[in-house]
Amino acid sequence: MERRQASDGIPSNSNNVLEITKSVLFIVGSAVIGMIAFRNSVQQYIEKFWGASHDFWGGLWKIIFAKFGNDDALVYFIGTPIVSVLAFIIFNIIFLCCDITGRPSWLLKYKIQDKNMPVDNEKLWKALKTGAFNMMVINPLFTSFCYPIGKYIGAYHTGDLPTFEWFIVEIIAYSLIEEVFFYYSHRLLHTPKFYAKYHKKHHEWQAPIGITSVYCGVLEMVMSNLLPLALGPLFMRSHVFTSWIWISIVLFSTTLAHGGYHVPFLFSPEAHDYHHKVYNCWYGTLGILDKIHKTDRPFKGSVEEKRHFISFSLTPLREQIPDPPKKHRISPVPDTPKKHRMSPVPGPSTSHS
């Protein structure tokens, strides 16, 4: 039986305007101060590194652009879907191999949930077909829709790549834009009117695996996956090469979030894995809006929250922070059976023959 999800609507938060404003200012202020401090402390090293690597990536981009006949439409229509599909396959292949075969065996000890081991072949095939359709059909169609918009607003596909400082600014802007649009679109999908019809399919996997990041209907794929991803580069009018890097980062992140493995030195997938487990918390990517709207409350205090950090130890976090002992339910003592009432002994018959 499927667990019932708590489908609350998007709150107005009219009484929390001050608190939200303070939280946003704190987050943005901290990011700005951190960037300034980081730049001042390592600027000379960045300039040396980026000077060399910028020449490398710039040269690589010119080669790629020439392969597409110096046609910016062709590089956008064909190049962008190729980058996204290849990145998705590369990032998922090792997790998928382990889900199917149990190898490499060293990876299994980092599994978050014990479900889907081994993975159900019927469910897997269904997820693979849906994922292939979304990545190879819906994804290119959406890309072709974005191109004229990007062209109109001034996104560029030729010329020099951006400076390192501007590249970092763009990635931060993309992340914040994605957080806003993914959070609210995802939260909308969890309302009663949308969940059963459009989002329940994605939550068939209570213990998700990497490829289930795109296991969803067309509406969800466009509204909650592709649109939040594309809005940042469009808004910033970015070079398509920067967009490709951003697409690869997002696909790597969402593969980790759904992969089901908390691997050392990589970002923690505990929060989104917990979302699939309980349904009614942690709707965003960064956790900023979850903290503001307090939709991280069910996650707080859980053992999964205690494991929600980048691990620098080869010891699995399930061993470092073990699950709390399960409380055994004590069966109630059955009621003492009631004494059966004895039927009265019939008296002598009073009827006359």
Side-chain angles (χ1 to χ4, degrees):
M1 183 181 293
E2 184 169 336
R3 190 178 302 179
R4 186 180 177 183
Q5 59 98 23
S7 49
D8 50 343
I10 297 177
S12 63
N13 290 295
S14 57
N15 297 327
N16 295 326
V17 174
L18 181 60
E19 181 184 351
I20 292 173
T21 304
K22 287 167 62 179
S23 300
V24 171
L25 289 175
F26 174 77
I27 292 165
V28 174
S30 299
V32 171
I33 293 171
M35 284 181 61
I36 294 172
F38 177 77
R39 180 183 175 184
N40 290 339
S41 59
V42 298
Q43 184 175 7
Q44 58 177 329
Y45 304 104
I46 289 174
E47 288 176 351
K48 290 180 181 179
F49 169 78
W50 190 250
S53 62
H54 188 272
D55 293 339
F56 170 77
W57 292 113
L60 179 62
W61 168 247
K62 289 177 181 177
I63 293 172
I64 293 172
F65 197 56
K67 293 290 184 182
F68 285 93
N70 294 325
D71 188 329
D72 60 344
L74 193 62
V75 80
Y76 199 94
F77 285 137
I78 306 299
T80 303
I82 288 175
V83 167
S84 58
V85 170
L86 284 178
F88 184 78
I89 292 172
I90 291 169
F91 296 147
N92 273 282
I93 193 164
I94 187 170
F95 288 144
L96 186 58
C97 180
C98 193
D99 290 328
I100 296 173
T101 67
R103 296 180 181 180
S105 56
W106 61 264
L107 186 58
L108 287 175
K109 63 183 180 180
Y110 300 111
K111 189 74 175 170
I112 297 173
Q113 297 189 52
D114 293 326
K115 297 178 182 179
N116 298 330
M117 291 302 297
V119 68
D120 182 87
N121 289 332
E122 186 176 347
K123 285 182 67 178
L124 176 63
W125 179 239
K126 187 179 176 183
L128 283 170
K129 288 191 295 183
T130 301
F133 176 77
N134 282 333
M135 290 299 296
M136 297 182 181
V137 178
I138 304 303
N139 176 37
L141 288 174
F142 181 83
T143 302
S144 64
F145 171 78
C146 289
Y147 175 75
I149 299 175
K151 193 77 173 175
Y152 176 77
I153 64 178
Y156 65 106
H157 312 96
T158 59
D160 293 335
L161 300 182
T163 63
F164 178 78
E165 289 85 350
W166 185 245
F167 172 76
I168 295 298
V169 168
E170 286 186 308
I171 294 298
I172 292 173
Y174 299 165
S175 301
L176 294 174
I177 291 169
E178 185 198 26
E179 166 75 356
V180 171
F181 283 92
F182 180 77
Y183 178 90
Y184 288 113
S185 63
H186 190 193
R187 189 81 185 271
L188 182 64
L189 288 170
H190 274 264
T191 58
K193 290 183 179 180
F194 282 82
Y195 180 81
K197 192 172 182 180
Y198 300 111
H199 194 48
K200 188 176 180 180
K201 179 176 184 176
H202 183 68
H203 275 279
E204 289 174 7
W205 291 77
Q206 287 185 317
I209 61 175
I211 60 168
T212 60
S213 60
V214 292
Y215 177 64
C216 57
V218 173
L219 178 70
E220 179 179 350
M221 183 67 185
V222 172
M223 182 177 78
S224 196
N225 290 343
L226 294 173
L227 190 60
L229 169 68
L231 284 174
L234 287 174
F235 179 79
M236 300 295 290
R237 298 186 297 178
S238 299
H239 195 291
V240 68
F241 194 76
T242 309
S243 302
W244 289 357
I245 296 174
W246 168 242
I247 289 168
S248 301
I249 291 171
V250 170
L251 287 172
F252 180 64
S253 174
T254 193
T255 297
L256 283 183
H258 290 86
Y261 298 89
H262 195 152
V263 183
F265 311 107
L266 298 181
F267 298 118
S268 168
E270 297 285 350
H272 196 75
D273 192 89
Y274 192 77
H275 169 79
H276 273 262
K277 189 177 179 181
V278 304
Y279 297 96
N280 64 344
C281 72
W282 207 276
Y283 300 99
T285 55
L286 302 176
I288 296 172
L289 288 172
D290 283 289
K291 291 184 184 302
I292 290 173
H293 291 302
K294 303 192 185 307
T295 47
D296 61 339
R297 282 180 175 175
F299 186 60
K300 285 186 174 180
S302 65
V303 68
E304 288 82 1
E305 187 203 26
K306 296 174 183 176
R307 299 171 182 157
H308 188 46
F309 59 90
I310 298 175
S311 174
F312 294 97
S313 169
L314 296 179
T315 303
L317 283 171
R318 289 184 67 177
E319 295 179 15
Q320 296 182 46
I321 308 172
D323 293 329
K326 293 182 179 180
K327 296 180 180 179
H328 297 285
R329 290 185 175 181
I330 301 175
S331 301
V333 178
D335 294 335
T336 304
K338 295 180 180 179
K339 295 181 180 179
H340 296 288
R341 300 175 71 181
M342 298 182 66
S343 301
V345 178
S349 176
T350 55
S351 60
H352 298 280
S353 55

